[in-house]
Structure formats: structure tokens, C-alpha cells
């Protein structure tokens, strides 16, 4: 399954739909929240060694709905002691989990997948409640997140070794692939289910055990997924969840010699700290970090395809994804037509509570996120850029922000040089293919890139020239469980998803068998 695509404006809304349904949405949110709290998958404690536990000092942290600021629940504010116990539980569980056959681990993962899909509606509601994205989009994330568990349930049985032709007749040379060990997985708030399953799925398939630290902003999805893992029969200690004091939890994962790998999705700044911290115990590290995705629209692009693709690439999750188009780079021959058509499409995006009918844009995650968007926009305006749509907080209040388009953007502006992580689309102009490639590659990031053209030769030239781990051609939604996901340069190390994602959790062992000619 794939993320739900954002379609063209005419398909998103009918003209009679009202802009705001706040009172009805509020009642619906209260009703959903009340029902979820009675659900068997709604958990509010950490998971260590198969047991649901409070913080040892009983400190708690509030989880709030970003759409209205209301308290959803409180979770344990865990730290060093709880993390060390989770590591010990994972280490003990590894002894038996790693010895299971691949077929046995595959069955457990398949059971987990089936339960996730059986509870799709509840999981989607939890995601919308704590993260804010529209329910339709949240349900799309459940499909996408579950697809990694299904895929790696199947790939668990395809971890192959090798036999190497020997230079000496009395020897046999074997290559084995074995699980790395205990994995520390640190995940973000923008995809609270999929970013966990994309890590835990391959880890468990390979025979590793995991300690997950979800974002403190969106822990409830992780806990619900963990509850379903227990229901699926996955043994105690194989999957553990701790949350609370992020620095202390991170330091404990880094310091422990029992943790053999760190996998992280989040900001480049935090990724660098984890990479440095992993050096003391020489842990394996895979990092999926920030992006600065270019979206290049050539003169020969199909205008409708380009608008639809750019809309999806930019405004999914209100611009809060690492692969969102951060710079829309348009060739001068089509610039004006694209700007006009794109503006009309963006105008019809409906902002509101994710539970309201027809909403395609939820709130930003918190006040800091809004302030970042405002500072980036102010920097652009001070340097000559112009807002042609949006450009301010939405009348709904809270952390809602108007979908925004900015023209006259230059490469010296923050909007073009750093990741805005919000619903702001900067339009840059270029003349030649060479200039477009130069602008696109002029960044420290290298995660995702997009281009729109009908020229097959150009498709190959530009795709090969772009310094990015992912390239979408005439398509704005490119993530899938069957393809490798990851960046180059300062966007990270390693790959997630696909058969290549298994390699991140495996050690390669060479075995030399001597004296093989003796009878």
C-alpha cells in the first residue's frame, strides 16, 4: 500500500464544502478520544520485557492534541534506569529470538501485520488525535506502515548466505549472515507508525531485538503498535518501548555495549550527535535525516501532471515530511502558467481538524514549528520575495497555518537553503537544464528530488545528475516498502525498506573450513 495521494484541487473538494467545521469537529474529536481510551490497544505506559510499566520515579509527561491543545493523556517520563532495563530485556530476549528459524519469525510478523490491519481505524484515529494529520491521510499511513511488516515477514525467509569458490582444494569457504543484536530505534513524530515499522520490521525479521524510543509528542501510536505485537505472540523483550527524557534515553542507548546498532529518523543535527556518540562503543548506525528536496518543472512538462505532483510532494502532512518538496524550481518558459495553476490548486486545500470532513491540511505539530515557518518567510520577504497566496497563521488559530506560495525566491534565502517543514512552497526560476541541476544540488542535503518532463533523454540525464538518494519522475509520491529509502550527503547513512533494508541489521561472517579432504 502507498501513502494516500493528494489529488488535484477539483477532486479534493466540491465547491459547496464549507471552510470550517470547528464545532462539529470538536464534538467528534471528544467522542473519538473517549472511545479510544476504552480500546484495548490504547496504552499509556512504557513496555519493558513484556510488561507495561510507569516511570520508576512516577514522573509523567502530557500528550496533547495539536489541533485544539486539549490533553489526551499522560505518559511516563522515563530516563536512564528504565532504558537500561529495556536494553537488558532486549538482550535476554535476543538469545532465543535470534535462534528461531526464519519461518517462525515470519509467522510472528505476519500475525502482527494482520492485527495492525484489523485495527486500522483505531490506529488511524490515534495518529490523527496526537499528530494532527487528516484522518484519510492517517489511514494511508497505517496501510503504509503495515506494508513494511508484511514485506519483511516475507523477506525474513530470504536472508541468504554464500559459498565462495576456494583457492585451495582442502578448504570450503562459507559466508553467513547473522543478526546484529540489540537495536536502539529512535523515531520522529511526523509518521508515528510507519517510521517504527520501517525499522522494527526488518530488525525482527533478521533476528534482532529492539528498544524503541518514539517521539514524546506522538507516543500513543507506538504503544498501540507494541500492544498489537504482544497480541501477535511476539515474545516479551523482543520489542520494548521507552519514552520521556530524550537526552537520557539516547545517552543510555549509546553508552550500552549491549546495543549494537542505532537507527534514527529525524533532524540532521540530532543525527550527528548520535553518530558521534555511537563511536565510543563502535555501534553500527543508520540515519535518515533532513532533506531539502528540489522539485524541478521543465518547460516540456505536462502542466496538469506537474501541478498534481508538486501539490502532493509539497503539502502532504502539511509540509511536515523529510521528502516534501522544499524548493519548486520552474523553467522560465512555463513559470507563469505553473504559478497560476499551482495557486488555484493550493487555494482549494481545506485547513482544519483532521477529523473534519474534507480537510486535507491539519495543524503544524507545535508552536515552535509555526515560529520556524514565520521566521523563514520573514527572511525571504526581507530579501525581496513575494507572497502570492497565504503567508500567515490560519483564522482557526492554534498552530494552523495557511498553505502558502512564495515567488521571487533566491538561493540565499532560508526557504531555499534549509528545510522549512511546513506548508510553504517557494518558487524559483531557471533557464537551462544545467542551471536547474546546479540549483538542485546546491545543498548539504541529499534525500529526495522530483522532476517533471516529457523528455525521456532528459529524464535519464537529470536523474543521474541529481545528488539524491530518491528521485521521482513525473510523480510526487514515491515512497514504497519495496524500494530502498535513504539519502546521501548530510541526509543520512544506510537504506530502509526493500531487500536492501535487511542488510542494515545483519552481520556478515566468513567461515573457513579446513582439512576437508580427509576421509
Amino acid at each position: 500500500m502507498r501513502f494516500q495521494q493528494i489529488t488535484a484541487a477539483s477532486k479534493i473538494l466540491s465547491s459547496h464544502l464549507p471552510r470550517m467545521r470547528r464545532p462539529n469537529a470538536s464534538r467528534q474529536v471528544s467522542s473519538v478520544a473517549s472511545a479510544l481510551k476504552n480500546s484495548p490497544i490504547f496504552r499509556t505506559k512504557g513496555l519493558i520485557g513484556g510488561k507495561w510499566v510507569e516511570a520508576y520515579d512516577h514522573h509523567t509527561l502530557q500528550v496533547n492534541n495539536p489541533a485544539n491543545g486539549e490533553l489526551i493523556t499522560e505518559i511516563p517520563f522515563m530516563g536512564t534506569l528504565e532504558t537500561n532495563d529495556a536494553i537488558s530485556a532486549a538482550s535476554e530476549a535476543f538469545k532465543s529470538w535470534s535462534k528461531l528459524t526464519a519461518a517462525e519469525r515470519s509467522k510472528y510478523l505476519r500475525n502482527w501485520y494482520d492485527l495492525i490491519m484489523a485495527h486500522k481505524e483505531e490506529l488511524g484515529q490515534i495518529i490523527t488525535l496526537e499528530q494532527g494529520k487528516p484522518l484519510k491521510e492517517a489511514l494511508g499511513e497505517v496501510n503504509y506502515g503495515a506494508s513494511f511488516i508484511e514485506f519483511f515477514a516475507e523477506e525474513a525467509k530470504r536472508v541468504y548466505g554464500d559459498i565462495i569458490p576456494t583457492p585451495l582444494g582442502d578448504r570450503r569457504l562459507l559466508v553467513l549472515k547473522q543478526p546484529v543484536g540489540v537495536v536502539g530505534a529512535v523515531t520522529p513524530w511526523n509518521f508515528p507508525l510507519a517510521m517504527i515499522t520501517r525499522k522494527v520490521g526488518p530488525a525482527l525479521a533478521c533476528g534482532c531485538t529492539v528498544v524503541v524510543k518514539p517521539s514524546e509528542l506522538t507516543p500513543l501510536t507506538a504503544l498501540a503498535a507494541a500492544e498489537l505485537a504482544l497480541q501477535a505472540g511476539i515474545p516479551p523483550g523482543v520489542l520494548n518501548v521507552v519514552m520521556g527524557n530524550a537526552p537520557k534515553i539516547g545517552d543510555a542507548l549509546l553508552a550500552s555495549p549491549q546495543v549494537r546498532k542505532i537507527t534514527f529518523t529525524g533532524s540532521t543535527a540530532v543525527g550527528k550527535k548520535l553518530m558521534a556518540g555511537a563511536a565510543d562503543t563502535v555501534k553500527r548506525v543508520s540515519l535518515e535525516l533532513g532533506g531539502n528536496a528540489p522539485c524541478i518543472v521543465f518547460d516540456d512538462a505536462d502542466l496538469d501532471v506537474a501541478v498534481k505532483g508538486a501539490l502532493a510532494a509539497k503539502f502532504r502532512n502539511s509540509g511536515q515530511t523529510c521528502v516534501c518538496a522544499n524548493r519548486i524550481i520552474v523553467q522560465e518558459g512555463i513559470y507563469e502558467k505553473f504559478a497560476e495553476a499551482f495557486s488555484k490548486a493550493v487555494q482549494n486545500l481545506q485547513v482544519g481538524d483532521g477529523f473534519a470532513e474534507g480537510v486535507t491540511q491539519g495543524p503544524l505539530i507545535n508552536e515552535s514549528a509555526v515560529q520556524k515557518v514565520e521566521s523563514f518567510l520573514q527572511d525571504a520577504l526581507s530579501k525581496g520575495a513575494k507572497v502570492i497566496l497565504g503567508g500567515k497563521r490560519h483564522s482557526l488559530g492554534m498552530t494552523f497555518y495557511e498553505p502558502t506560495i512564495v515567488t521571487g525566491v533566491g538561493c540565499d534565502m532560508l526557504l531555499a537553503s534549509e528545510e522549512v517543514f511546513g506548508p510553504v512552497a517557494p518558487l524559483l526560476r531557471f533557464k537551462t537544464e544545467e542551471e536547474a541541476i546546479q540549483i538542485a544540488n546546491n545543498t548539504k542535503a541529499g534525500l529526495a528530488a522530483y522532476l517533471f518532463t516529457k523528455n525521456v533523454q532528459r529524464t535519464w540525464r537529470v536523474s543521474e545528475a541529481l545528488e539524491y538518494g530518491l528521485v521521482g519522475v513525473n510523480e510526487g509520491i514515491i515512497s514504497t516498502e519495496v524500494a530502498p529509502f535513504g539519502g546521501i550527503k548530510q541526509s543520512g547513512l544506510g537504506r530502509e525498506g526493500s531487500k536492501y533494508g535487511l542488510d542494515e541489521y545483519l552481520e556478515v561472517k566468513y567461515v573457513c573450513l579446513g582439512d576437508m579432504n580427509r576421509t
Side-chain angles (χ1 to χ4, degrees):
M1 302 298 293
R2 310 292 183 266
F3 282 125
Q4 180 65 43
Q5 294 195 9
I6 303 176
T7 58
S10 61
K11 295 181 181 179
I12 294 174
L13 297 170
S14 299
S15 60
H16 67 272
L17 281 174
R19 275 288 182 185
M20 289 183 266
R21 296 175 178 261
R22 198 171 187 180
N24 291 341
S26 296
R27 288 195 294 270
Q28 186 175 0
V29 172
S30 298
S31 175
V32 168
S34 178
L36 284 175
K37 289 179 181 180
N38 294 319
S39 168
I41 72 168
F42 189 85
R43 291 288 185 173
T44 59
K45 297 180 181 179
L47 180 63
I48 299 176
K51 297 180 179 179
W52 297 102
V53 298
E54 300 280 4
Y56 295 165
D57 60 6
H58 301 291
H59 287 178
T60 61
L61 182 70
Q62 292 187 346
V63 180
N64 297 301
N65 182 343
N68 56 26
E70 293 179 359
L71 175 68
I72 302 171
T73 189
E74 293 185 346
I75 58 166
F77 189 72
M78 295 174 159
T80 304
L81 295 177
E82 295 90 344
T83 305
N84 286 338
D85 283 351
I87 293 169
S88 296
S91 181
E92 184 64 28
F94 177 75
K95 297 174 184 177
S96 55
W97 181 254
S98 61
K99 297 299 188 295
L100 294 180
T101 65
E104 289 173 314
R105 292 196 296 268
S106 175
K107 289 178 182 177
Y108 282 118
L109 287 170
R110 183 69 204 194
N111 289 343
W112 191 16
Y113 164 78
D114 288 339
L115 284 170
I116 290 173
M117 294 307 296
H119 292 271
K120 175 180 172 179
E121 293 293 331
E122 291 166 283
L123 286 167
Q125 290 170 349
I126 292 173
I127 291 171
T128 296
L129 191 65
E130 66 175 349
Q131 198 275 335
K133 67 179 61 176
L135 182 58
K136 188 175 183 179
E137 200 169 315
L139 294 172
E141 181 182 344
V142 178
N143 287 335
Y144 179 65
S147 72
F148 288 101
I149 303 302
E150 180 184 38
F151 179 83
F152 286 110
E154 297 161 352
E155 287 298 296
K157 296 177 283 188
R158 302 187 184 101
V159 178
Y160 302 124
D162 206 355
I163 298 177
I164 301 173
T166 175
L168 299 174
D170 67 339
R171 297 185 182 182
R172 298 294 182 269
L173 311 182
L174 311 179
V175 175
L176 307 179
K177 290 186 178 181
Q178 297 179 312
V180 169
V182 176
V183 175
V186 182
T187 60
W189 51 263
N190 56 342
F191 292 99
L193 178 66
M195 296 304 97
I196 289 175
T197 57
R198 199 161 72 181
K199 300 175 187 300
V200 175
L204 268 55
C206 291
C208 299
T209 54
V210 187
V211 177
V212 174
K213 192 213 82 66
S215 168
E216 287 67 40
L217 299 173
T218 56
L220 303 178
T221 305
L223 297 174
E227 166 62 28
L228 293 175
L230 290 180
Q231 292 183 23
I234 293 175
V238 172
L239 175 60
N240 307 272
V241 183
V242 293
M243 62 258 158
N245 191 321
K248 287 188 176 181
I249 293 172
D251 287 346
L253 291 171
L254 291 170
S256 173
Q258 293 175 301
V259 177
R260 296 308 313 139
K261 176 184 173 62
I262 296 291
T263 174
F264 170 73
T265 296
S267 72
T268 300
V270 174
K272 288 179 178 180
K273 292 180 180 179
L274 290 172
M275 191 175 180
D280 285 344
T281 50
V282 196
K283 300 186 196 304
R284 292 183 61 170
V285 177
S286 57
L287 305 170
E288 195 266 281
L289 308 178
N292 185 8
C295 178
I296 306 172
V297 182
F298 288 96
D299 283 346
D300 62 0
D302 182 303
L303 183 60
D304 291 338
V305 170
V307 168
K308 178 182 176 181
L311 193 71
K314 172 68 254 184
F315 290 101
R316 180 159 52 96
N317 202 12
S318 298
Q320 299 174 112
T321 88
C322 53
V323 294
C324 273
N326 204 57
R327 299 166 292 159
I328 302 179
I329 307 167
V330 188
Q331 198 162 15
E332 58 184 5
I334 200 174
Y335 185 93
E336 300 300 337
K337 288 183 179 179
F338 177 86
E340 181 180 0
F342 190 58
S343 295
K344 288 180 179 178
V346 174
Q347 269 183 323
N348 287 297
L349 294 176
Q350 185 171 336
V351 180
D353 191 295
F355 287 105
E357 180 185 353
V359 166
T360 59
Q361 300 289 290
L364 298 189
I365 190 64
N366 55 25
E367 179 62 23
S368 295
V370 180
Q371 292 178 4
K372 180 181 180 181
V373 168
E374 289 177 329
S375 68
F376 276 38
L377 188 57
Q378 184 55 44
D379 170 80
L381 295 178
S382 70
K383 295 174 181 176
K386 180 183 178 182
V387 173
I388 63 170
L389 184 69
K392 62 182 183 297
R393 293 181 185 238
H394 198 278
S395 58
L396 285 170
M398 296 301 298
T399 57
F400 291 98
Y401 200 87
E402 294 182 352
T404 298
I405 301 176
V406 187
T407 59
V409 176
C411 293
D412 61 330
M413 301 176 187
L414 291 175
L415 281 177
S417 60
E418 297 184 23
E419 193 174 31
V420 65
F421 230 65
V424 179
L427 303 189
L428 291 77
R429 189 189 300 257
F430 74 93
K431 292 183 179 180
T432 66
E433 180 180 305
E434 293 73 21
E435 183 186 5
I437 293 169
Q438 188 278 325
I439 293 172
N441 289 339
N442 184 26
T443 174
K444 296 177 181 178
L447 185 54
Y450 308 89
L451 66 112
F452 292 87
T453 177
K454 290 187 285 190
N455 186 308
V456 175
Q457 291 82 3
R458 172 175 283 153
T459 291
W460 280 102
R461 285 196 308 270
V462 178
S463 294
E464 291 175 353
L466 289 171
E467 298 170 353
Y468 292 84
L470 314 168
V471 178
V473 180
N474 296 324
E475 178 56 66
I477 302 292
I478 59 177
S479 299
T480 168
E481 75 279 7
V482 302
F485 186 103
I488 62 176
K489 297 193 285 188
Q490 293 190 30
S491 284
L493 302 169
R495 293 296 181 267
E496 295 185 328
S498 80
K499 64 178 183 179
Y500 303 102
L502 288 171
D503 294 338
E504 301 294 330
Y505 299 92
L506 293 168
E507 296 285 10
V508 175
K509 179 182 287 185
Y510 157 56
V511 179
C512 175
L513 305 178
D515 196 25
M516 295 299 291
N517 290 339
R518 180 178 303 194
T519 59

